[in-house]
Amino acid sequence: MYPSEFKYLAAESVDDALTLIADHEFAEILAGGQSLIPLQKERLAMPDYVIDISEIAELDYIEETADEIRLGAVTTHTTAEESELVREHVFIFSECISKIADRLVRNRGTVGGTVVEADPDGDYMPVMKLLNPDVVVTGPDGERVIPFSEFYIGMFTVDIEEDELLTEVRLPKLPLLPEAAGVGSTYKKHVNRSGDYAIVGVAALVHVDDDGSIINARVTIGSVGPLLTSAGAADAVVGTELDEASLEAAADAVEAEVMPDQEGRLGAYKRAMAGEFTQQALRTAYERALADSQ
């Protein structure tokens, strides 16, 4: 199906984009187009105007501060994945991007577009919930800096007004707690075929002490209904050296906590895979934390 008729508008700057947004009702923002264009082809999105921000140079960057890696909204997935700054300080984000769809999608899709879409089945979401980056939105009254935990309201719903534009995502560098000897993280994804949306996506973060004991852990799960942070899984492994008993307890906790959006056999399968991939993610994060402590 062809998209419904619309007028294409190309923004040259953030100020220009905000003016176009203010002047045109029933408009959609085009960043990478990997979600909007398919929706238009299915007539699920029928804007009168499409405002293209993909060529705004001031939104295409990766910068480092003392505590953060800052990404402009139209930075592509590929650029972020291949960034040495991202790989060094927030490797889990680079790892997550490598599992998104295929190279063509990653070359066009953007950081800002994916975060503002808030697809609960998207690979970004568990990692965003784990890292809780600040999200910067810009509107006629200036900037708002919002923690992801407050920005993300629910499925496809975020805290952004119709006259605002997401302009930056500030990823925190993986913190090494004062009492920790090492930190490790990972994102694991279960799919039927490479490039598919996740059946289950699990992000895990682990801190260890000098003896290799886990002193802090965090596990988030996507593609099982609402995004979930599993306190039970974290509690099961803290104070251990990640033996099989603690891993099984973590899996049991996740399976009890997740709420898959399917019923019956498929729902049971997703719960089981959430438990299994929680174990896999915790193992990898723990191994990386031990290596970091050496």
Side-chain angles (χ1 to χ4, degrees), residues 102-173:
D102 54 35
R103 175 63 69 172
L104 291 175
V105 170
R106 295 196 293 273
N107 284 347
R108 290 294 304 170
T110 63
V111 172
T114 303
V115 172
V116 81
E117 182 187 23
D119 186 340
D121 292 334
D123 295 303
Y124 269 32
M125 291 299 103
V127 175
M128 292 293 104
K129 192 167 180 66
L130 183 87
L131 296 174
N132 195 28
D134 282 336
V135 177
V136 181
V137 298
T138 303
D141 297 325
E143 290 185 347
R144 290 193 297 137
V145 181
I146 315 163
F148 181 79
S149 58
E150 298 175 14
F151 179 74
Y152 179 81
I153 297 171
M155 298 181 181
F156 302 104
T157 307
V158 294
D159 179 13
I160 190 167
E161 301 297 332
E162 292 184 355
D163 59 355
E164 292 180 320
L165 184 69
L166 188 150
T167 50
E168 185 176 73
V169 176
R170 299 175 177 176
L171 299 174
K173 295 179 180 178

Side-chain angles (χ1 to χ4, degrees), residues 45-67:
M46 296 188 291
D48 291 339
Y49 302 93
V50 170
I51 300 171
D52 187 352
I53 67 168
S54 64
E55 298 299 320
I56 299 179
E58 65 188 287
L59 294 181
D60 187 4
Y61 60 87
I62 300 177
E63 297 176 348
E64 180 182 12
T65 68
D67 302 315

Side-chain angles (χ1 to χ4, degrees), residues 47-275:
D48 291 339
Y49 302 93
V50 170
I51 300 171
D52 187 352
I53 67 168
S54 64
E55 298 299 320
I56 299 179
E58 65 188 287
L59 294 181
D60 187 4
Y61 60 87
I62 300 177
E63 297 176 348
E64 180 182 12
T65 68
D67 302 315
E68 299 171 329
I69 302 299
R70 298 183 175 185
L71 299 95
V74 302
T75 303
T76 66
H77 300 316
T78 296
T79 300
E81 177 190 359
E82 296 177 350
S83 164
E84 289 301 320
L85 285 175
V86 174
R87 287 175 180 268
E88 179 181 357
H89 296 292
V90 205
F91 181 75
I92 186 175
F93 188 62
S94 178
E95 184 177 40
C96 158
I97 293 172
S98 71
K99 302 178 187 297
I100 294 174
D102 54 35
R103 175 63 69 172
L104 291 175
V105 170
R106 295 196 293 273
N107 284 347
R108 290 294 304 170
T110 63
V111 172
T114 303
V115 172
V116 81
E117 182 187 23
D119 186 340
D121 292 334
D123 295 303
Y124 269 32
M125 291 299 103
V127 175
M128 292 293 104
K129 192 167 180 66
L130 183 87
L131 296 174
N132 195 28
D134 282 336
V135 177
V136 181
V137 298
T138 303
D141 297 325
E143 290 185 347
R144 290 193 297 137
V145 181
I146 315 163
F148 181 79
S149 58
E150 298 175 14
F151 179 74
Y152 179 81
I153 297 171
M155 298 181 181
F156 302 104
T157 307
V158 294
D159 179 13
I160 190 167
E161 301 297 332
E162 292 184 355
D163 59 355
E164 292 180 320
L165 184 69
L166 188 150
T167 50
E168 185 176 73
V169 176
R170 299 175 177 176
L171 299 174
K173 295 179 180 178
L174 283 185
L176 183 60
L177 300 178
E179 66 274 26
V183 58
S185 62
T186 192
Y187 172 70
K188 297 291 186 180
K189 175 181 179 179
H190 177 43
V191 294
N192 284 326
R193 298 172 302 178
S194 177
D196 281 357
Y197 274 99
I199 295 172
V200 168
V202 180
L205 174 71
V206 167
H207 288 90
V208 297
D209 62 16
D210 290 324
D211 297 324
S213 180
I214 297 174
I215 60 174
N216 179 62
R218 186 172 172 86
V219 177
T220 60
I221 302 104
S223 297
V224 289
L227 278 172
L228 170 70
T229 296
S230 175
D235 290 343
V237 299
V238 169
T240 76
E241 295 181 14
L242 206 68
D243 54 25
E244 289 304 313
S246 63
L247 281 169
E248 289 179 11
D252 289 343
V254 166
E255 291 181 37
E257 292 168 358
V258 300
M259 298 174 60
D261 51 4
Q262 293 91 358
E263 298 297 330
R265 294 177 62 187
L266 183 55
Y269 176 72
K270 286 172 76 75
R271 279 191 291 274
M273 289 300 98

